Amino acid sequence: MRVGFGYDVHPFAEGRALWLGGIQIPHARGLKGHSDADVLIHALCDALLGAANLRDIGYHFPDTDDAYKNIDSKILLARTMDLLRTKNYQTGNADITICAEAPKLNPHIPQMQTCLAAIMQIPPDDISIKATTSEKMGFIGREEGIAVFATVLIERI
Ligand SMILES: [Zn+2]
């Protein structure tokens, strides 16, 4: 068994949809990024790649490549799972913490779990997603962006 850790942050921007954990969440602003800016999936991919010692998301899917412009991050997660399978790894469980002052995320967590579990081919119960705020402090507290921390366990098949 191996452990992996991932972190990502994206700033809010006007005129963008908010994608988080593979689903679209109603909010006045979305996150800015080369892809759909799904900060949760990016942190999760980095945790998975880190656990398998497969570098990081920017290495495999560079934001300078037009192929990834506005790409659905669920595709990046599916490709990350393919990369892990080439090294004979399967996912044990994931534990993810979203740091966001707004919007309220708890009502959306079950749908995120279902969405990610289908892509990762594991039960939704193996994906824990927690939402916290930054108690109005710092860039998270000023609602300038969202940060996500992810930890995963992987096992050799
Ligand atoms: Zn990202």
Side-chain angles (χ1 to χ4, degrees):
M1 283 191 294
R2 296 167 64 109
V3 69
F5 173 76
Y7 167 77
D8 196 25
V9 59
H10 280 260
F12 278 118
E14 303 290 338
R16 297 266 302 179
L18 177 58
W19 286 94
L20 205 55
I23 64 168
Q24 197 178 333
I25 292 170
H27 193 49
R29 294 176 298 165
L31 295 173
K32 186 177 164 186
H34 184 69
S35 65
D36 65 5
D38 191 324
V39 62
L40 188 154
I41 288 187
H42 296 177
L44 178 57
C45 286
D46 260 359
L48 289 161
L49 292 168
N53 199 1
L54 281 165
R55 305 287 298 260
D56 59 48
I57 190 169
Y59 177 83
H60 294 284
F61 317 112
D63 64 6
T64 48
D65 188 336
D66 275 351
Y68 303 116
K69 189 161 172 57
N70 292 321
I71 196 171
D72 182 342
S73 292
K74 292 189 283 295
I75 296 168
L76 304 183
L77 178 58
R79 290 194 193 163
T80 297
M81 297 307 298
D82 288 341
L83 285 165
L84 262 73
R85 270 188 288 273
T86 64
K87 283 188 93 169
N88 290 321
Y89 288 119
Q90 63 184 16
T91 313
N93 72 300
D95 186 20
I96 300 159
T97 298
I98 310 165
C99 258
E101 211 66 35
K104 285 269 171 278
L105 296 170
N106 273 323
H108 304 288
I109 285 175
Q111 201 189 338
M112 291 183 201
Q113 288 172 306
T114 306
C115 174
L116 298 174
I119 301 163
M120 297 172 75
Q121 298 174 5
I122 58 175
D125 192 43
D126 286 338
I127 303 174
S128 152
I129 302 175
K130 313 184 295 294
T132 186
T133 70
S134 190
E135 299 288 346
K136 309 238 184 275
M137 294 182 292
F139 71 91
I140 302 286
R142 292 189 295 270
E143 298 185 34
E144 291 171 11
I146 294 179
V148 175
F149 303 88
T151 308
V152 300
L153 200 71
I154 61 169
E155 300 156 332
R156 215 177 264 280
I157 298 164

